[in-house]
Protein backbone atom coordinates (compact mmCIF):
# COMPACT_ATOMS: atom_id res chain seq x y z
CA UNK A 1 0.00 0.00 0.00
CA UNK A 2 1.31 3.45 -0.93
CA UNK A 3 2.08 5.84 1.89
CA UNK A 4 -0.27 8.90 2.07
CA UNK A 5 2.86 11.06 2.24
CA UNK A 6 3.60 10.14 -1.37
CA UNK A 7 0.46 12.03 -2.39
CA UNK A 8 0.47 14.79 0.21
CA UNK A 9 4.07 15.96 -0.15
CA UNK A 10 3.91 16.89 -3.88
CA UNK A 11 0.71 18.88 -3.23
CA UNK A 12 2.34 20.67 -0.30
CA UNK A 13 5.40 21.50 -2.41
CA UNK A 14 3.18 22.96 -5.14
CA UNK A 15 1.23 25.04 -2.61
CA UNK A 16 4.50 26.27 -1.09
CA UNK A 17 5.77 27.26 -4.54
CA UNK A 18 2.57 29.18 -5.29
CA UNK A 19 2.79 30.91 -1.88
CA UNK A 20 6.46 31.79 -2.46
CA UNK A 21 5.74 33.32 -5.85
CA UNK A 22 2.75 35.22 -4.50
CA UNK A 23 4.89 36.73 -1.75
CA UNK A 24 7.62 37.65 -4.24
CA UNK A 25 5.26 39.59 -6.49
CA UNK A 26 3.19 41.13 -3.70
CA UNK A 27 5.82 43.85 -3.28
CA UNK A 28 4.24 45.63 -6.25
CA UNK A 29 0.67 46.69 -5.24
CA UNK A 30 -1.64 46.73 -8.23
CA UNK A 31 1.09 45.12 -10.35
CA UNK A 32 1.86 41.45 -11.08
CA UNK A 33 -0.14 38.86 -9.16
CA UNK A 34 0.59 35.22 -8.31
CA UNK A 35 -2.04 32.85 -9.79
CA UNK A 36 -2.34 29.37 -11.27
CA UNK A 37 -2.74 28.55 -14.98
CA UNK A 38 -3.88 25.05 -15.91
CA UNK A 39 -3.17 24.10 -12.31
CA UNK A 40 0.42 25.33 -12.39
CA UNK A 41 2.03 28.36 -10.66
CA UNK A 42 2.03 31.50 -12.77
CA UNK A 43 2.12 35.28 -12.47
CA UNK A 44 0.40 38.04 -14.39
CA UNK A 45 1.68 41.33 -15.72
CA UNK A 46 -0.72 43.93 -17.06
CA UNK A 47 -1.33 47.51 -18.06
CA UNK A 48 -4.41 49.27 -19.41
CA UNK A 49 -4.04 47.52 -22.80
CA UNK A 50 -2.78 43.98 -22.19
CA UNK A 51 -2.76 41.22 -19.60
CA UNK A 52 -0.06 38.56 -19.84
CA UNK A 53 0.27 35.28 -17.92
CA UNK A 54 3.77 33.85 -17.44
CA UNK A 55 4.49 30.41 -16.02
CA UNK A 56 6.89 30.04 -13.09
CA UNK A 57 8.17 26.88 -14.73
CA UNK A 58 10.09 27.92 -17.81
CA UNK A 59 9.18 31.64 -17.75
CA UNK A 60 6.85 30.71 -20.64
CA UNK A 61 4.21 33.14 -21.89
CA UNK A 62 1.01 31.12 -21.49
CA UNK A 63 -1.59 33.72 -22.35
CA UNK A 64 -1.89 37.28 -23.67
CA UNK A 65 -5.21 39.10 -23.96
CA UNK A 66 -6.34 42.62 -24.70
CA UNK A 67 -7.95 44.05 -21.58
CA UNK A 68 -10.99 45.40 -23.44
CA UNK A 69 -11.65 42.10 -25.25
CA UNK A 70 -14.85 40.60 -23.84
CA UNK A 71 -13.89 37.17 -25.25
CA UNK A 72 -10.41 37.30 -23.67
CA UNK A 73 -8.94 35.63 -26.74
CA UNK A 74 -5.30 34.66 -26.39
CA UNK A 75 -3.50 33.76 -29.63
CA UNK A 76 -1.11 31.37 -27.90
CA UNK A 77 -1.04 27.57 -28.03
CA UNK A 78 -2.39 25.83 -24.94
CA UNK A 79 -1.89 22.06 -25.41
CA UNK A 80 -3.58 21.30 -22.09
CA UNK A 81 -6.79 23.02 -23.19
CA UNK A 82 -6.70 21.34 -26.61
CA UNK A 83 -6.24 17.92 -25.00
CA UNK A 84 -9.09 18.60 -22.57
CA UNK A 85 -11.42 19.53 -25.44
CA UNK A 86 -10.57 16.19 -27.09
CA UNK A 87 -11.28 14.27 -23.89
CA UNK A 88 -7.61 13.53 -23.25
CA UNK A 89 -5.20 14.53 -20.51
CA UNK A 90 -1.71 15.86 -21.04
CA UNK A 91 1.12 16.27 -18.56
CA UNK A 92 2.33 19.85 -18.20
CA UNK A 93 5.88 20.12 -19.58
CA UNK A 94 6.35 23.88 -19.85
CA UNK A 95 6.06 23.63 -23.65
CA UNK A 96 3.16 25.97 -24.36
CA UNK A 97 2.49 29.42 -25.73
CA UNK A 98 5.87 31.08 -26.13
CA UNK A 99 8.62 29.17 -24.37
CA UNK A 100 12.37 29.63 -24.61
CA UNK A 101 14.68 26.89 -25.88
CA UNK A 102 18.06 27.46 -24.24
CA UNK A 103 20.67 26.06 -24.16
CA UNK A 104 19.47 23.68 -26.84
CA UNK A 105 16.88 23.73 -29.62
CA UNK A 106 15.71 20.29 -30.64
CA UNK A 107 16.33 16.74 -29.40
CA UNK A 108 19.20 15.92 -27.10
CA UNK A 109 21.79 13.36 -28.17
CA UNK A 110 21.77 9.89 -26.64
CA UNK A 111 24.60 10.89 -24.31
CA UNK A 112 22.91 14.16 -23.35
CA UNK A 113 19.66 12.35 -22.58
CA UNK A 114 21.57 9.94 -20.37
CA UNK A 115 22.95 12.97 -18.53
CA UNK A 116 19.41 14.30 -18.00
CA UNK A 117 19.27 16.98 -20.69
CA UNK A 118 15.74 17.27 -22.16
CA UNK A 119 14.61 18.28 -25.62
CA UNK A 120 14.80 22.04 -26.21
CA UNK A 121 17.22 22.62 -23.34
CA UNK A 122 16.67 22.97 -19.62
CA UNK A 123 15.07 26.39 -19.30
CA UNK A 124 11.51 25.41 -20.22
CA UNK A 125 11.35 22.72 -17.51
CA UNK A 126 13.15 24.71 -14.81
CA UNK A 127 11.40 26.50 -11.94
CA UNK A 128 12.39 30.18 -11.84
CA UNK A 129 12.69 32.67 -9.03
CA UNK A 130 10.34 35.57 -9.73
CA UNK A 131 10.52 39.19 -8.65
CA UNK A 132 8.31 42.13 -9.56
CA UNK A 133 9.12 45.79 -9.97
CA UNK A 134 7.55 49.15 -10.64
CA UNK A 135 9.15 51.39 -13.22
CA UNK A 136 8.39 54.84 -14.54
CA UNK A 137 5.06 54.50 -16.30
CA UNK A 138 4.89 50.73 -15.98
CA UNK A 139 5.83 47.47 -14.26
CA UNK A 140 8.06 44.45 -14.76
CA UNK A 141 8.65 40.80 -13.95
CA UNK A 142 12.10 39.24 -13.71
CA UNK A 143 12.70 35.47 -13.83
CA UNK A 144 16.04 33.91 -12.86
CA UNK A 145 17.21 30.29 -12.79
CA UNK A 146 20.38 28.26 -12.87
CA UNK A 147 20.51 25.58 -15.56
CA UNK A 148 22.48 22.89 -13.71
CA UNK A 149 23.40 20.53 -16.54
CA UNK A 150 24.78 23.14 -18.95
CA UNK A 151 26.04 25.29 -16.05
CA UNK A 152 24.45 28.53 -17.19
CA UNK A 153 22.25 31.14 -15.50
CA UNK A 154 19.29 32.40 -17.49
CA UNK A 155 17.53 35.65 -16.62
CA UNK A 156 14.49 37.04 -18.42
CA UNK A 157 12.60 40.29 -17.76
CA UNK A 158 9.19 41.29 -19.09
CA UNK A 159 8.18 44.96 -19.08
CA UNK A 160 4.99 46.85 -19.87
CA UNK A 161 4.41 50.59 -20.19
CA UNK A 162 0.99 52.11 -19.59
CA UNK A 163 -0.91 52.94 -22.75
CA UNK A 164 1.10 50.53 -24.96
CA UNK A 165 0.09 47.27 -26.67
CA UNK A 166 3.69 46.10 -26.30
CA UNK A 167 5.70 43.75 -24.05
CA UNK A 168 9.49 44.27 -23.87
CA UNK A 169 11.51 41.10 -23.26
CA UNK A 170 15.17 41.30 -22.21
CA UNK A 171 17.23 38.16 -21.56
CA UNK A 172 20.69 37.30 -20.34
CA UNK A 173 22.60 34.02 -20.47
CA UNK A 174 25.65 33.62 -18.22
CA UNK A 175 28.36 30.98 -18.70
CA UNK A 176 29.53 29.56 -15.37
CA UNK A 177 32.29 27.56 -17.06
CA UNK A 178 35.80 28.66 -17.92
CA UNK A 179 35.65 28.01 -21.67
CA UNK A 180 33.93 29.46 -24.72
CA UNK A 181 30.95 27.49 -25.97
CA UNK A 182 28.51 27.54 -28.90
CA UNK A 183 24.93 28.21 -27.79
CA UNK A 184 21.64 27.07 -29.33
CA UNK A 185 18.83 29.51 -28.49
CA UNK A 186 15.33 29.83 -29.93
CA UNK A 187 12.10 31.61 -29.03
CA UNK A 188 9.42 28.95 -29.55
CA UNK A 189 6.38 31.17 -30.18
CA UNK A 190 3.31 29.14 -31.18
CA UNK A 191 -0.20 30.34 -32.03
CA UNK A 192 -3.25 28.11 -32.19
CA UNK A 193 -6.99 27.87 -32.71
CA UNK A 194 -9.29 29.69 -32.20
CA UNK A 195 -6.99 32.63 -33.06
CA UNK A 196 -5.46 30.50 -35.81
CA UNK A 197 -8.14 29.93 -38.46
CA UNK A 198 -7.83 28.24 -41.86
CA UNK A 199 -8.19 30.72 -44.75
CA UNK A 200 -8.39 33.58 -42.23
CA UNK A 201 -5.12 33.77 -40.26
CA UNK A 202 -1.81 34.35 -42.01
CA UNK A 203 1.75 34.24 -40.73
CA UNK A 204 4.08 36.85 -42.23
CA UNK A 205 7.83 37.29 -41.81
CA UNK A 206 10.64 39.54 -43.06
CA UNK A 207 11.97 36.55 -44.92
CA UNK A 208 14.23 35.83 -47.85
CA UNK A 209 15.96 32.55 -48.74
CA UNK A 210 14.17 29.51 -47.35
CA UNK A 211 14.28 25.73 -47.33
CA UNK A 212 11.82 22.93 -46.73
CA UNK A 213 13.06 20.71 -43.95
CA UNK A 214 15.00 17.67 -45.14
CA UNK A 215 13.52 14.38 -44.01
CA UNK A 216 14.20 10.71 -44.65
CA UNK A 217 11.40 8.63 -46.06
CA UNK A 218 10.70 5.54 -43.97
CA UNK A 219 9.06 2.33 -45.15
CA UNK A 220 5.27 2.49 -45.25
CA UNK A 221 3.84 1.96 -41.81
CA UNK A 222 7.07 2.75 -39.99
CA UNK A 223 6.52 4.18 -36.53
CA UNK A 224 6.19 7.95 -36.46
CA UNK A 225 5.98 8.29 -40.25
CA UNK A 226 2.85 9.10 -42.23
CA UNK A 227 3.91 10.40 -45.65
CA UNK A 228 0.30 11.38 -46.51
CA UNK A 229 0.51 14.08 -43.83
CA UNK A 230 3.31 15.92 -45.60
CA UNK A 231 2.65 18.37 -48.40
CA UNK A 232 6.13 19.94 -48.83
CA UNK A 233 9.07 18.44 -50.70
CA UNK A 234 12.16 17.47 -48.72
CA UNK A 235 15.20 19.74 -48.42
CA UNK A 236 14.42 22.05 -51.33
CA UNK A 237 15.43 25.73 -51.42
CA UNK A 238 12.81 28.38 -52.19
CA UNK A 239 12.14 32.08 -51.73
CA UNK A 240 9.66 32.98 -49.00
CA UNK A 241 6.68 32.50 -49.02
CA UNK A 242 6.08 30.16 -52.00
CA UNK A 243 7.27 26.65 -51.07
CA UNK A 244 7.45 23.59 -53.34
CA UNK A 245 4.73 21.00 -52.77
CA UNK A 246 4.81 17.25 -53.31
CA UNK A 247 2.13 17.62 -55.99
CA UNK A 248 4.38 19.88 -58.05
CA UNK A 249 2.47 23.03 -57.15
CA UNK A 250 3.73 25.89 -55.01
CA UNK A 251 2.25 26.46 -51.56
CA UNK A 252 1.87 29.84 -49.90
CA UNK A 253 3.25 29.21 -46.42
CA UNK A 254 1.67 32.40 -45.10
CA UNK A 255 -1.79 30.84 -45.21
CA UNK A 256 -3.32 28.27 -42.89
CA UNK A 257 -4.67 25.52 -45.18
CA UNK A 258 -8.34 24.69 -45.66
CA UNK A 259 -9.42 21.17 -44.60
CA UNK A 260 -6.15 20.75 -42.70
CA UNK A 261 -4.57 17.34 -42.17
CA UNK A 262 -0.96 18.31 -42.82
CA UNK A 263 2.35 18.70 -41.06
CA UNK A 264 4.60 21.41 -42.54
CA UNK A 265 8.21 22.17 -41.71
CA UNK A 266 10.45 24.83 -43.25
CA UNK A 267 13.06 27.43 -42.32
CA UNK A 268 13.61 31.01 -43.47
CA UNK A 269 16.72 33.16 -43.36
CA UNK A 270 15.68 36.63 -42.28
CA UNK A 271 16.38 39.55 -44.57
CA UNK A 272 20.15 40.28 -44.43
CA UNK A 273 19.55 43.92 -45.38
CA UNK A 274 17.63 44.61 -42.16
CA UNK A 275 18.90 45.28 -38.65
CA UNK A 276 15.51 44.56 -37.07
CA UNK A 277 13.44 41.59 -38.23
CA UNK A 278 9.83 40.68 -37.59
CA UNK A 279 7.31 37.84 -37.65
CA UNK A 280 3.57 38.24 -37.18
CA UNK A 281 0.32 36.26 -37.10
CA UNK A 282 -2.71 38.18 -38.37
CA UNK A 283 -6.37 37.17 -38.05
CA UNK A 284 -8.28 39.25 -40.62
CA UNK A 285 -11.70 38.22 -39.29
CA UNK A 286 -11.00 39.23 -35.71
CA UNK A 287 -8.81 42.11 -36.97
CA UNK A 288 -6.14 41.14 -34.43
CA UNK A 289 -2.38 40.85 -34.87
CA UNK A 290 0.34 39.29 -32.72
CA UNK A 291 3.86 40.16 -33.75
CA UNK A 292 7.52 40.22 -32.74
CA UNK A 293 10.38 42.58 -33.55
CA UNK A 294 13.94 41.46 -32.79
CA UNK A 295 17.59 41.97 -33.75
CA UNK A 296 18.85 39.95 -36.68
CA UNK A 297 22.29 39.52 -35.11
CA UNK A 298 20.63 37.63 -32.24
CA UNK A 299 17.98 35.69 -34.16
CA UNK A 300 18.75 35.33 -37.90
CA UNK A 301 16.38 32.38 -38.52
CA UNK A 302 12.70 31.51 -38.32
CA UNK A 303 11.52 27.91 -38.27
CA UNK A 304 7.96 27.34 -39.51
CA UNK A 305 6.21 24.41 -37.86
CA UNK A 306 2.64 23.84 -38.94
CA UNK A 307 0.63 21.14 -37.19
CA UNK A 308 -2.74 21.00 -38.92
CA UNK A 309 -4.63 17.87 -37.79
CA UNK A 310 -8.11 19.52 -37.83
CA UNK A 311 -9.69 22.98 -37.93
CA UNK A 312 -10.06 23.30 -34.16
CA UNK A 313 -6.60 21.94 -33.38
CA UNK A 314 -4.35 23.86 -35.77
CA UNK A 315 -1.05 25.08 -34.32
CA UNK A 316 1.62 27.18 -36.02
CA UNK A 317 5.09 27.67 -34.64
CA UNK A 318 6.91 30.84 -35.68
CA UNK A 319 10.16 30.08 -33.91
CA UNK A 320 12.91 32.66 -34.25
CA UNK A 321 16.37 31.64 -33.16
CA UNK A 322 20.05 31.04 -33.76
CA UNK A 323 19.56 28.11 -36.13
CA UNK A 324 17.19 27.08 -38.95
CA UNK A 325 15.91 23.77 -37.53
CA UNK A 326 15.39 22.20 -34.12
CA UNK A 327 18.16 19.60 -34.25
CA UNK A 328 20.70 18.17 -31.78
CA UNK A 329 23.61 20.54 -31.17
CA UNK A 330 26.14 18.03 -32.50
CA UNK A 331 24.26 17.82 -35.79
CA UNK A 332 23.86 21.59 -36.05
CA UNK A 333 27.56 22.21 -35.47
CA UNK A 334 28.67 19.41 -37.79
CA UNK A 335 26.46 20.58 -40.66
CA UNK A 336 27.74 24.14 -40.25
CA UNK A 337 26.39 27.36 -41.78
CA UNK A 338 23.35 27.45 -44.06
CA UNK A 339 23.03 30.03 -46.83
CA UNK A 340 26.40 31.34 -45.59
CA UNK A 341 24.89 32.27 -42.23
CA UNK A 342 26.02 30.98 -38.79
CA UNK A 343 23.76 28.55 -36.91
CA UNK A 344 24.75 29.29 -33.30
CA UNK A 345 25.99 32.06 -31.00
CA UNK A 346 29.21 32.07 -28.99
CA UNK A 347 29.00 32.36 -25.21
CA UNK A 348 32.50 33.27 -23.96
CA UNK A 349 34.06 31.81 -20.82
CA UNK A 350 32.73 33.26 -17.54
CA UNK A 351 30.79 35.84 -19.56
CA UNK A 352 27.23 36.87 -20.46
CA UNK A 353 25.34 37.43 -23.70
CA UNK A 354 21.99 39.14 -24.11
CA UNK A 355 18.96 39.17 -26.36
CA UNK A 356 16.19 41.74 -26.70
CA UNK A 357 12.87 41.60 -28.49
CA UNK A 358 9.43 43.06 -28.17
CA UNK A 359 6.04 41.59 -28.90
CA UNK A 360 2.80 43.37 -29.66
CA UNK A 361 -0.86 42.35 -29.67
CA UNK A 362 -3.37 44.83 -31.05
CA UNK A 363 -6.34 45.41 -33.30
CA UNK A 364 -6.17 46.74 -36.84
CA UNK A 365 -8.77 48.89 -38.64
CA UNK A 366 -11.45 47.58 -40.98
CA UNK A 367 -10.07 46.96 -44.46
CA UNK A 368 -6.59 46.00 -43.26
CA UNK A 369 -5.92 42.64 -44.99
CA UNK A 370 -2.17 41.96 -45.25
CA UNK A 371 1.02 42.53 -43.28
CA UNK A 372 3.65 43.68 -45.76
CA UNK A 373 6.09 45.30 -43.35
CA UNK A 374 6.69 45.94 -39.66
CA UNK A 375 9.13 48.65 -38.65
CA UNK A 376 10.31 50.12 -35.38
CA UNK A 377 11.12 53.80 -35.78
CA UNK A 378 11.10 56.85 -33.50
CA UNK A 379 9.48 55.00 -30.61
CA UNK A 380 6.70 53.55 -32.78
CA UNK A 381 5.85 50.22 -34.39
CA UNK A 382 4.57 50.79 -37.91
CA UNK A 383 2.55 47.91 -39.43
CA UNK A 384 1.92 48.38 -43.11
CA UNK A 385 -0.59 46.95 -45.61
CA UNK A 386 0.72 48.40 -48.87
CA UNK A 387 -1.94 46.89 -51.08
CA UNK A 388 -4.77 48.47 -49.11
CA UNK A 389 -2.64 51.55 -48.43
CA UNK A 390 -3.32 51.24 -44.72
CA UNK A 391 -1.03 51.63 -41.75
CA UNK A 392 -1.23 50.85 -38.04
CA UNK A 393 0.99 52.72 -35.59
CA UNK A 394 1.63 51.48 -32.05
CA UNK A 395 3.59 53.33 -29.39
CA UNK A 396 6.77 51.48 -28.36
CA UNK A 397 8.53 54.03 -26.19
CA UNK A 398 11.36 51.75 -24.96
CA UNK A 399 12.46 50.70 -28.44
CA UNK A 400 15.06 47.97 -28.89
Amino acid sequence: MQSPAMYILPVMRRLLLILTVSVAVAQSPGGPQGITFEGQPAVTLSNDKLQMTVMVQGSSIASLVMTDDSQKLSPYWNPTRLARELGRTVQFTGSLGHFVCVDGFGPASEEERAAGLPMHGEAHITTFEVSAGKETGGSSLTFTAKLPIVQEVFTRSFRMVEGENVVYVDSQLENLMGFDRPVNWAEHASVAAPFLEPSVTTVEVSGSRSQTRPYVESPAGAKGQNPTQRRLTSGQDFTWPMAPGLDGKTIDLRAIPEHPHYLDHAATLLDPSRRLEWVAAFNSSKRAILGYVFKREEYPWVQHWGSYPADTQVVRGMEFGTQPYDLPRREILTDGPMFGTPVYRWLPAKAKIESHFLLFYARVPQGFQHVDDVRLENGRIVIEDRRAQRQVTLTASRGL
Side-chain angles (χ1 to χ4, degrees):
M1 181 175 179
Q2 302 289 352
S3 167
M6 294 184 65
Y7 303 97
I8 297 173
L9 288 176
V11 174
M12 292 180 64
R13 291 192 189 100
R14 181 173 296 177
L15 290 173
L16 179 60
L17 176 58
I18 294 172
L19 177 61
T20 302
V21 172
S22 300
V23 170
V25 300
Q27 61 181 290
S28 179
Q33 300 295 317
I35 61 167
T36 60
F37 184 88
E38 296 292 0
Q40 303 296 319
V43 289
T44 62
L45 182 67
S46 62
N47 63 7
D48 57 328
K49 298 292 186 181
L50 300 174
Q51 183 178 66
M52 181 177 67
T53 301
V54 186
M55 306 305 295
V56 174
Q57 178 180 319
S59 68
S60 305
I61 304 173
S63 173
L64 183 67
V65 300
M66 287 181 264
T67 55
D68 62 355
D69 179 8
S70 60
Q71 295 182 333
K72 300 303 180 187
L73 174 66
S74 172
Y76 285 118
W77 175 44
N78 180 352
T80 304
R81 175 182 62 79
L82 289 177
R84 184 168 57 246
E85 291 174 354
L86 293 172
R88 301 198 298 257
T89 57
V90 62
Q91 182 179 0
F92 180 80
T93 64
S95 301
L96 81 172
H98 176 149
F99 64 95
V100 63
C101 304
V102 71
D103 176 6
F105 180 38
S109 69
E110 181 180 349
E111 293 85 356
E112 287 174 330
R113 288 195 301 274
L117 192 68
M119 181 169 180
H120 292 327
E122 290 176 89
H124 72 105
I125 66 164
T126 299
T127 298
F128 281 68
E129 294 183 1
V130 187
S131 61
K134 293 293 287 184
E135 302 179 7
T136 302
S139 54
S140 65
L141 284 173
T142 298
F143 291 73
T144 304
K146 180 180 178 181
L147 311 181
I149 298 176
V150 294
Q151 285 294 294
E152 296 165 355
V153 175
F154 183 66
T155 303
R156 168 155 287 184
S157 295
F158 302 89
R159 292 178 171 83
M160 286 188 183
V161 177
E162 289 297 315
E164 298 185 6
N165 288 75
V166 178
V167 181
Y168 304 89
V169 186
D170 303 299
S171 304
Q172 183 183 87
L173 188 64
E174 179 181 3
N175 186 1
L176 300 179
M177 305 300 289
F179 54 86
D180 301 345
R181 59 206 303 181
V183 165
N184 302 135
W185 184 340
E187 303 295 336
H188 198 299
S190 301
V191 293
F195 178 87
L196 199 65
E197 295 183 67
S199 304
V200 173
T201 307
T202 55
V203 174
E204 313 275 359
V205 61
S206 54
S208 58
R209 300 179 67 182
S210 303
Q211 184 187 87
T212 56
R213 183 165 183 165
Y215 58 89
V216 178
E217 290 285 8
S218 296
K223 184 178 180 181
Q225 293 289 329
N226 185 354
T228 62
Q229 290 183 341
R230 299 190 184 277
R231 59 174 186 159
L232 302 180
T233 58
S234 172
Q236 188 168 338
D237 295 352
F238 68 97
T239 300
W240 172 264
M242 305 307 295
L246 288 171
D247 60 1
K249 299 178 182 178
T250 56
I251 296 169
D252 188 345
L253 286 189
R254 293 173 297 190
I256 309 306
E258 294 182 358
H259 312 298
H261 58 277
Y262 306 108
L263 179 66
D264 289 348
H265 229 144
T268 292
L269 175 66
L270 296 169
D271 187 346
S273 68
R274 301 179 65 114
R275 185 183 73 87
L276 297 180
E277 306 286 358
W278 59 272
V279 60
F282 169 55
N283 185 306
S284 58
S285 175
K286 296 178 172 59
R287 296 191 291 113
I289 183 171
L290 170 76
Y292 292 84
V293 180
F294 46 91
K295 298 178 181 180
R296 187 180 188 277
E297 65 185 83
E298 296 171 351
Y299 306 107
W301 299 96
V302 168
Q303 177 177 246
H304 311 279
W305 168 66
S307 177
Y308 307 128
D311 287 9
T312 59
Q313 302 164 46
V314 291
V315 181
R316 176 68 178 261
M318 41 191 201
E319 305 154 20
F320 51 102
T322 59
Q323 64 202 63
Y325 300 117
D326 55 334
L327 293 169
R329 72 184 68 232
R330 192 184 305 170
E331 189 170 337
I332 283 290
L333 295 174
T334 300
D335 289 348
M338 179 169 151
F339 299 151
T341 302
V343 291
Y344 57 87
R345 288 183 68 181
W346 279 110
L347 177 57
K350 297 288 185 178
K352 303 172 184 178
I353 59 174
E354 297 181 348
S355 84
H356 308 273
F357 63 87
L358 59 80
L359 66 95
F360 57 90
Y361 186 36
R363 292 189 181 88
V364 299
Q366 196 74 37
F368 194 102
Q369 292 295 322
H370 303 277
V371 182
D372 293 311
D373 192 24
V374 178
R375 303 186 304 275
L376 180 61
E377 53 188 26
N378 302 320
R380 302 181 307 159
I381 298 171
V382 179
I383 309 165
E384 193 170 11
D385 180 351
R386 292 170 182 154
R387 282 164 280 188
Q389 297 184 330
R390 290 178 179 270
Q391 202 175 80
V392 176
T393 301
L394 304 175
T395 301
S397 58
R398 289 181 59 93
L400 268 182

